[in-house]
């Protein structure tokens, strides 16, 4: 059961869902009377929105594992070359964040079982955390 929305008509709300190093963040954006959306923001990266905060967080993890990337110019169904170069696990996690792709679709794409995709995602999340921790340890904000 959802909470009643007591905001005046037309009022929107934004808050930081997750703040990372190097100016990367996820902003929760709640248009008036709509379900919240989660916008990934990074320097030199067009904002991308997600319905699910977990997918926005995974996208951020992919961003860090690929050492940043820009989707502009890759086309509606393209994959940025840096994602492909970052390896199978990063590419699988990236594809998982795309609309209409789920773990079964990604597993089928790679010819693997869904459990393997889960391991890829776990690796990407762990590696991204290591990268962010390393950046913080070096004083990068």
């Amino acid at each position: 059961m959802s909470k009643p929305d007591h905001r005046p008509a037309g009022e929107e709300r934004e808050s930081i869902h997750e703040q990372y190093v190097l100016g990367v963040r996820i902003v929760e954006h709640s248009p008036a009377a709509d379900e919240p959306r989660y916008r990934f923001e990074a320097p030199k990266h067009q904002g991308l929105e997600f319905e699910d905060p977990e997918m926005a967080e995974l996208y951020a993890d992919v961003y860090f594992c690929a050492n940043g990337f820009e989707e502009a110019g890759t086309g509606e169904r393209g994959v940025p070359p840096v994602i492909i170069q970052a390896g199978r696990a990063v590419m699988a996690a990236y594809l998982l964040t795309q609309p209409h792709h789920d773990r079964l679709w990604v597993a089928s794409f790679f010819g693997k079982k869904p459990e393997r995709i889960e391991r890829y995602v776990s690796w990407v999340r762990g590696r991204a955390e290591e990268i962010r921790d390393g950046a913080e340890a070096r004083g990068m904000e």
Side-chain angles (χ1 to χ4, degrees):
M1 177 174 209
S2 63
K3 300 176 195 173
D5 192 344
H6 297 293
R7 290 177 282 169
E11 184 178 324
E12 296 184 8
R13 181 184 50 128
E14 283 193 356
S15 61
I16 303 297
H17 173 75
E18 190 73 47
Q19 181 74 44
Y20 301 101
V21 295
L22 304 174
V24 177
R25 66 186 189 168
I26 298 171
V27 176
E28 181 179 339
H29 171 71
S30 297
D34 285 341
E35 294 295 319
R37 307 268 304 165
Y38 299 87
R39 185 176 60 242
F40 173 83
E41 296 180 350
K44 300 180 184 176
H45 190 287
Q46 64 188 29
L48 194 61
E49 285 195 356
F50 298 86
E51 293 177 3
D52 180 359
E54 182 181 343
M55 286 298 110
E57 293 162 8
L58 181 57
Y59 189 88
D61 292 340
V62 168
Y63 184 84
F64 280 101
C65 285
N67 199 24
F69 60 91
E70 176 62 55
E71 290 198 81
T74 59
E76 193 172 310
R77 296 174 57 116
V79 175
V82 71
I83 297 293
I84 297 166
Q85 295 168 353
R88 183 176 291 214
V90 174
M91 186 167 161
Y94 173 81
L95 289 174
L96 193 56
T97 67
Q98 301 305 296
H100 314 296
H101 295 173
D102 61 14
R103 281 170 173 70
L104 293 176
W105 186 94
V106 175
S108 176
F109 178 83
F110 283 101
K112 304 290 182 188
K113 293 184 178 189
E115 295 80 21
R116 174 67 60 100
I117 302 307
E118 292 294 333
R119 285 195 296 274
Y120 287 163
V121 167
S122 178
W123 182 88
V124 167
R125 289 192 184 284
R127 181 67 182 129
E129 188 66 32
E130 290 173 10
I131 291 166
R132 290 188 291 263
D133 288 347
E136 286 177 4
R138 290 180 187 86
M140 302 170 135
E141 294 185 14

